[in-house]
Amino acid sequence: MNLFAHFSDLIKAELAVLVQEGVLAVDTDFSRVAVEPPRDVSHGDISTNAAMVLAKAARMKPRDLAQMLAGRLERQADIASVEVAGPGFINIRLSNAFWHKILQIIVKEKRDFGRSNLGRGVRVNVEYVSANPTGPMHVGHCRGAVFGDALANLLEFAGFDVCREYYINDAGAQVDVLARSAYLRYREALGEEIGEVPAGLYPGDYLKPVGVLLKEKFGAALRDKEEAEWLPPVRIIAIDAMMAMIREDLAALNVRHDVFFSERSLISGGNDEIAALIEQLRANDLVYEGRLEPPKGRLPEDWEDREQTLFRATRFGDDTDRPLLKSDGGYTYFASDIAYHADKYARGFARMIDVWGADHGGYVKRMQSAVKAVTNGEGELDVKLCQLVRLLRGGVPVKMSKRSGEFVTLRDVVQEVGRDPVRFMMLYRKNDAPLDFDFAKVTEQSRDNPVFYVQYAHARICSVLHKARDELGADMPCDAALEAAAFAKLADGSELALIKRMAQWPRLVEQAAMHHEPHRIAFFLYDLASDFHGLWNRGKESPDLRFIRADDIKLTVARLAMIGSAASILAAGLDVLGVEAVEEMR
RNA sequence: GGUCCCGUAGCUCAGUAGGAUAGAGCACGAGAUUCCUAAUCUCGGGGUCGCAGGUUCGAAUCCUGCCGGGAUCACCA
């Protein structure tokens, strides 16, 4: 349960009474009434701006209206005290009993606490990675992959019906280059001396096995054929091999997809969806033949002023109209992407999220305008841009040269630092902020490393629970006993602080989901871990605060229930991030 | 030149749908601890939220303009 939503309902019910009593007009707008945690804990547990927002409508001074409301709220069972502060804030303090009630709910719901119905089962399509099937994934793909995967997890946790999708760009010129590169390796496999790989082809060794595969499949049959003849079959096999490799890369990072959607499938099988779509747009006067202004500033060298087939993107908020056909008559990437998004919509996804690299930022407006056009304004596309990741090793940037094919692959990174640290660090930053990824820091086992810090909190709790099992033996409480624990014994300030933090979890999940920002989960987990470690540390100096108290079994049971709940939330949150909640540190 | 993103403590970054005295970690400074449950702990200083206007009860947050950094700019993916 989201306690802020709960009290928001309660406050709005009181406001409704004020409407009945004629204090507020019948048509008063309550949409600006906020019920939130105050920034400063000394202001209480819950704060609302209701009086300030509604003062005008009530023709009262904010503080007077606040007093009136405060008087009513004070009578509520879970509310310990209410005070009016500042310009008219109403600050509410909840009773300890209420927090203990929340804790009991967490104990019962375990890892499901925080799961939300925010999404109400609405279908959402999240597309991420969509790396070209021309080679193994490199570090650059890491962030988007982890981000998209975690976002999908988050939306599921918040009650959306999520489809995770990968768009395979298997129709462009790049896969032809791939096919030619693979063909070269095929000739090599047949014993030919190929020398250095010509510029313009992919030089990586990863194509050698594809060459061998082609030899096994076709023998020498393709050697003396024309390119037009060998290219299509070679392309298919090469793409399949690349996708198999990419799937392994994704598995290594624990990144999942439900659908791998082939771009080529839009035009193959005698059913050209792109052509159909262009005609449909043309019928609606959204496609025309025309000329574009050359870009302002420096003119591209090979610019030629010519007539093109253009989509009226400007009608939907883009800066200029966009070409659908290339000079060679083929479809532009944009054209197939429109058809792809139209296809998503046709499959029942009015809500779409695309995760792209920041270098595609200039593409956002045109895609959003296209989505509006092909969905009659009913589709909604949010594009999340992931900024670059800067790889460092002990503070020194890692050199990468694309020319020599020497780039750090995703697999290298996962092998070196492990899947969990990679994932956590990729999410421990807002997606649109650049990210420094330092191999040295990420693997460090100290409290300075947030991955370790959060995982350690979980492991530490598991360790305490183990110890409790050893020490208490048969007295170790079962689930039913934990649910019925004497929560009222948890009255220390830092214990209540931990419980209050846990109580924020459902609201945080909903906000992270609404904003499509999984990093908020990572930061929350850090704060929760910090609360727990703090409590643990206090137990060092004040034995009274230790979790296991042989002299007070009831208190011990309550504390075990409390830290067990923290472990549940840590585990649930880490699960959203796709990071394992380990039970012990190695 | 256009568009998009960013600008918050010395550094790296959070900052809730517009809320109150703007936070954390690192670094720095001062103490505590050699005990223990597993990899120390506590406290402290530190800010023109890039600049200037605007919107309003109230702005780091929204709007406009400027400054600085990055990405991108017919046809490639």
Side-chain angles (χ1 to χ4, degrees), chain A residues 8 143 170 181 227 309 339 387 414 422 518 539 563:
Chain A
S8 178
R143 192 172 184 184
D170 55 2
S181 310
E227 177 176 299
T309 300
Q387 271 292 346
V414 172
V422 172
I563 62 171

Side-chain angles (χ1 to χ4, degrees), chain A residues 489-490 544 547 549 552-560:
Chain A
K489 282 176 167 279
L490 303 172
D544 286 357
F547 304 122
R549 289 273 305 275
D552 191 340
I553 294 299
K554 281 191 174 171
L555 178 59
T556 301
V557 172
R559 286 188 174 156
L560 293 180

Side-chain angles (χ1 to χ4, degrees), chain A residues 53-120:
Chain A
V53 174
L54 302 175
K56 242 177 217 171
R59 292 175 306 278
M60 289 175 74
K61 286 181 185 162
R63 286 192 65 108
D64 292 346
L65 182 58
Q67 281 300 348
M68 183 182 278
L69 245 162
R72 293 172 170 278
L73 290 170
E74 217 148 31
R75 294 198 288 269
Q76 295 289 337
D78 296 323
I79 294 177
S81 69
V82 183
E83 62 188 41
V84 176
F89 287 101
I90 301 172
N91 290 333
I92 300 169
R93 225 168 281 271
L94 300 175
S95 66
N96 284 2
F98 175 80
W99 296 115
H100 295 142
K101 217 156 64 186
I102 293 270
L103 177 56
Q104 187 179 32
I105 293 173
I106 306 174
V107 173
K108 251 181 221 164
E109 297 187 356
K110 296 199 176 72
R111 292 176 58 159
D112 285 330
F113 180 70
R115 205 172 269 285
S116 167
N117 192 29
L118 177 77
R120 298 182 186 283

Side-chain angles (χ1 to χ4, degrees), chain A residues 2 154 504-513 520-525:
Chain A
N2 180 336
L154 171 60
Q504 310 277 330
W505 173 236
R507 178 177 191 263
L508 187 112
V509 167
E510 291 185 354
Q511 293 196 323
R520 295 188 191 210
I521 304 291
F523 280 93
F524 176 86
L525 295 182

Side-chain angles (χ1 to χ4, degrees), chain A residues 173 289-290 292 302-310 322-333 335:
Chain A
E289 308 299 320
L292 284 178
D302 54 351
W303 169 268
E304 52 175 310
D305 183 27
R306 62 182 179 81
E307 194 168 79
Q308 304 189 84
T309 300
L310 299 166
R322 304 291 180 178
L324 298 173
L325 296 179
K326 296 189 284 186
S327 47
D328 68 0
Y331 299 119
T332 60
Y333 182 80

